[in-house]
Amino acid sequence: LKLQFLYFIGGGEDRKKKRREKKMDVNVMFSADQIAIPPELAPILRHYTKAVLRNEEEISQQGLNKWTANYFAELGGMPKVFNSDGSLAQRMNEAVGNGYEQRNDI
């Protein structure tokens, strides 16, 4: 009876086969040193931080998220996303009317 029980539990060959078939994920991060940061990011963040400090009053009225959206839109040569009062700009209102969903929790 004892030998039969061990025979049914066994399954060792199946487990070994599954381990062999399992491939190692090469995209696993083990440390922060593995993250590649483009060298162009440092000056962008430096200029953004300086702009935030220079425009604190405007940011307090509009909110940091909305001000940041406008900052990077202008940096990319696009029109502002939000008006100075924090409302969605006219261009964006038209886009919302064309099938984009407007979020008020931004």
Side-chain angles (χ1 to χ4, degrees):
L1 181 68
K2 197 173 199 178
L3 291 174
Q4 289 176 342
F5 179 73
L6 291 175
Y7 175 75
F8 286 110
I9 290 180
E13 289 303 314
D14 290 337
R15 277 186 259 140
K16 287 178 187 175
K17 186 178 178 183
K18 285 180 184 177
R19 275 191 219 136
R20 274 186 249 124
E21 291 173 356
K22 205 178 208 182
K23 293 183 179 180
M24 185 175 166
D25 185 6
V26 293
N27 295 322
V28 175
M29 290 286 185
F30 293 104
S31 91
D33 295 334
Q34 291 176 294
I35 300 171
I37 299 173
E40 301 86 23
L41 186 61
I44 292 171
L45 288 177
R46 185 174 49 252
H47 292 297
Y48 168 73
T49 304
K50 288 179 180 180
V52 167
L53 295 174
R54 283 188 206 116
N55 296 295
E56 286 184 70
E57 186 177 319
E58 185 181 340
I59 292 170
S60 65
Q61 294 171 352
Q62 199 174 17
L64 181 62
N65 293 341
K66 293 178 181 180
W67 183 87
T68 299
N70 283 344
Y71 175 82
F72 283 108
E74 285 186 52
L75 192 65
M78 298 174 62
K80 287 185 174 184
V81 180
F82 295 98
N83 294 323
S84 58
D85 64 352
S87 64
L88 207 53
Q90 182 63 34
R91 179 187 67 83
M92 291 306 292
N93 280 330
E94 292 168 5
V96 169
N98 292 331
Y100 293 97
E101 184 178 323
Q102 182 175 2
R103 292 180 55 190
N104 295 322
D105 63 336
I106 296 177

